[in-house]
Amino acid sequence: MSKTTPATVALTKAGVAFELFAYDYDPDAPRVGLQAAQAVGKAPEQVFKTLMTLVDGAPACVIAPSDCEISMKKLAAAIGGKSAQMMKPADAERLTGYKVGGVSPFGQRKTVPTVMDETAVLFDQILINGGQRGLLLGVAPEAAARAAGARLVDIKA
């Protein structure tokens, strides 16, 4: 496993400190984010998943705790749209340059509107995918939001 990904390069370039957490990725896990949290010994609400969505047909990125569901209505409103849906995995891979299960909000091929669930600030450090399956990055929430160009909003269902 490479410890250098477009995500780690982007964070380093932005001067954002991060910690690497490698784990054995299980593609068959019912909820990959929960499996990742368990594998690294962190609370599920501290390990954030990265989801690629469409808001009124335009791509958007969502960073949310691995143990929660996203309110598509709240997401659409946060981006300034009327409706939201999940992006197809193949489209997410093409847009971001990452494989599903390894999508990071950092270092994506194209900049898209990004939101992060506001509960991130409850922690000194959150873990976010590092750009490949089995690699998480521990980052201060405010620094992560800044590096991802994310607004902190309530997006939980």
Side-chain angles (χ1 to χ4, degrees), residues 53-60 71-86:
T53 63
L54 295 170
V55 175
D56 292 346
S71 165
M72 291 299 172
K73 190 173 188 169
K74 287 181 182 178
L75 168 61
I79 302 286
K82 294 180 182 174
S83 67
Q85 64 187 49
M86 292 301 298

Side-chain angles (χ1 to χ4, degrees), residues 37-64:
Q38 184 177 22
V40 298
K42 297 288 183 178
E45 60 271 15
Q46 188 177 3
V47 178
F48 279 57
K49 56 189 172 186
T50 305
L51 304 173
M52 298 307 295
T53 63
L54 295 170
V55 175
D56 292 346
C61 180
V62 178
I63 307 164

Side-chain angles (χ1 to χ4, degrees), residues 34-118:
L34 296 180
Q35 184 263 328
Q38 184 177 22
V40 298
K42 297 288 183 178
E45 60 271 15
Q46 188 177 3
V47 178
F48 279 57
K49 56 189 172 186
T50 305
L51 304 173
M52 298 307 295
T53 63
L54 295 170
V55 175
D56 292 346
C61 180
V62 178
I63 307 164
S66 61
D67 67 338
C68 82
E69 295 295 321
I70 303 303
S71 165
M72 291 299 172
K73 190 173 188 169
K74 287 181 182 178
L75 168 61
I79 302 286
K82 294 180 182 174
S83 67
Q85 64 187 49
M86 292 301 298
M87 186 181 288
K88 292 179 182 169
D91 293 340
E93 290 179 352
R94 225 179 350 270
L95 180 74
T96 65
Y98 295 120
K99 293 282 184 202
V100 169
V103 174
S104 179
F106 315 114
Q108 293 186 4
R109 285 185 180 153
K110 184 178 178 187
T111 301
V112 300
T114 303
V115 294
M116 178 185 289
D117 189 72
E118 63 189 6

Side-chain angles (χ1 to χ4, degrees), residues 2-16:
S2 173
K3 303 290 191 232
T4 302
T5 68
T8 61
V9 170
L11 289 179
T12 301
K13 197 177 208 180
V16 175

